[in-house]
Amino acid sequence: MSIFTKIIKGEIPSYKVAENEHFYAFLDINPNAKGHTLVVPKKEVNKLFDLDEELYNGLMSFSRKIALAMEKVIPCERIGMSVIGLEVPHVHVHLIPLQKMEDIQFIKKVTLEPSDFEAVAKAIAENI
Ligand code: 5GP
């Protein structure tokens, strides 16, 4: 079972942003920027392009809703999207508030207090 499946099942805590039947969105624990969100299909599939077309399109559609909400509440130039998966072999879309190119490069991380995570997760959730 992947660490993200454990998060979806509630066995590991997360700062939840949104959920529906097929997808779960939560804050990345080691964010590139405040509000950095991960969107995962509940079905445990390793690689993005191995998702069937319906689930792939559903993931993009769900991610778009989250990104539009993020853009409303987080000051940034735009929301960037990246799919990597070299660390966790369970498909996840990174949605990252961008100010500059390095924010999407997974080089510099920000340190947030639990209260910051809680506040930003709530703000995004309320604007979906
Ligand atoms: P990738 O697989 O795309 O290279 O990176 C995995 C991402 O998942 C990283 O940005 C990492 O910070 C995040 N991550 C790994 N483990 C956890 C976890 O237990 N909880 C949360 N919220 N994020 C995690």
Side-chain angles (χ1 to χ4, degrees), residues 47-74:
K47 297 179 188 170
L48 177 71
F49 299 117
D50 287 340
L51 289 174
D52 67 51
E53 194 171 345
E54 190 180 350
L55 206 54
Y56 175 87
N57 289 337
L59 177 64
M60 292 302 137
S61 173
F62 193 73
S63 297
R64 177 174 177 271
K65 287 196 182 85
I66 310 291
L68 290 173
M70 289 169 66
E71 208 160 29
K72 278 189 212 157
V73 297
I74 301 162

Side-chain angles (χ1 to χ4, degrees), residues 9-59:
K9 286 176 182 286
E11 292 172 12
I12 294 175
S14 68
Y15 297 100
K16 179 174 150 180
V17 169
E19 177 176 18
N20 72 8
E21 189 189 346
H22 296 298
F23 306 105
Y24 189 91
F26 59 105
L27 297 181
D28 194 300
I29 206 65
N30 187 21
N32 291 18
K34 188 174 175 180
H36 180 165
T37 297
L38 302 176
V39 188
V40 302
K42 291 183 175 178
K43 186 176 178 191
E44 196 177 312
V45 173
N46 181 355
K47 297 179 188 170
L48 177 71
F49 299 117
D50 287 340
L51 289 174
D52 67 51
E53 194 171 345
E54 190 180 350
L55 206 54
Y56 175 87
N57 289 337
L59 177 64

Side-chain angles (χ1 to χ4, degrees), residues 71 75-79 97-100:
E71 208 160 29
C76 60
E77 287 294 322
R78 61 180 58 219
I79 304 299
L98 304 179
Q99 301 284 12
K100 45 194 173 335

Side-chain angles (χ1 to χ4, degrees), residues 3-4 7 12-14 26-30 36 38 84-88 92 94 106 109:
I3 193 159
F4 291 163
I7 285 174
I12 294 175
S14 68
F26 59 105
L27 297 181
D28 194 300
I29 206 65
N30 187 21
H36 180 165
L38 302 176
I84 305 168
L86 290 171
E87 188 185 325
V88 179
H92 49 285
H94 292 264
F106 297 83
K109 298 291 181 169

